[in-house]
Amino acid sequence: MSDACKALYLDRSTIRYHIIRKRIKAFKAAGKWWLNKNDVETFSKWNSSRSQVVNNNSVKG
């Protein structure tokens, strides 16, 4: 999980939040969360595209 935190620039609690919301696929084994690298990259792309849509629709004023 620490590698995912570094790659996404998020803290552990935020990563767990997205796992609970099923935005990132993960499983827990031996007391540790395990994430697939491809799922982390997919979430990163989704998150960046989502933030661009929000920024483009924001009102300046």
Side-chain angles (χ1 to χ4, degrees), residues 39-54:
D39 293 332
V40 172
E41 290 172 355
T42 302
F43 177 78
S44 177
K45 290 176 186 175
W46 174 80
N47 199 26
S48 65
S49 67
R50 183 175 161 258
S51 66
Q52 288 175 356
V53 170
V54 171

Side-chain angles (χ1 to χ4, degrees), residues 4-61:
C5 292
K6 291 176 188 175
L8 297 172
Y9 302 105
L10 300 172
D11 60 358
R12 296 173 76 83
S13 63
T14 307
I15 298 286
R16 283 193 302 268
Y17 171 82
H18 290 296
I19 291 169
I20 291 167
R21 299 287 181 243
K22 297 185 180 182
R23 295 177 182 153
I24 301 175
K25 294 179 184 175
F27 64 94
K28 196 170 186 179
K32 293 184 179 182
W33 283 102
W34 295 89
L35 293 87
N36 186 342
K37 184 178 179 182
N38 292 333
D39 293 332
V40 172
E41 290 172 355
T42 302
F43 177 78
S44 177
K45 290 176 186 175
W46 174 80
N47 199 26
S48 65
S49 67
R50 183 175 161 258
S51 66
Q52 288 175 356
V53 170
V54 171
N55 289 339
N56 291 338
N57 290 335
S58 62
V59 177
K60 295 181 181 177

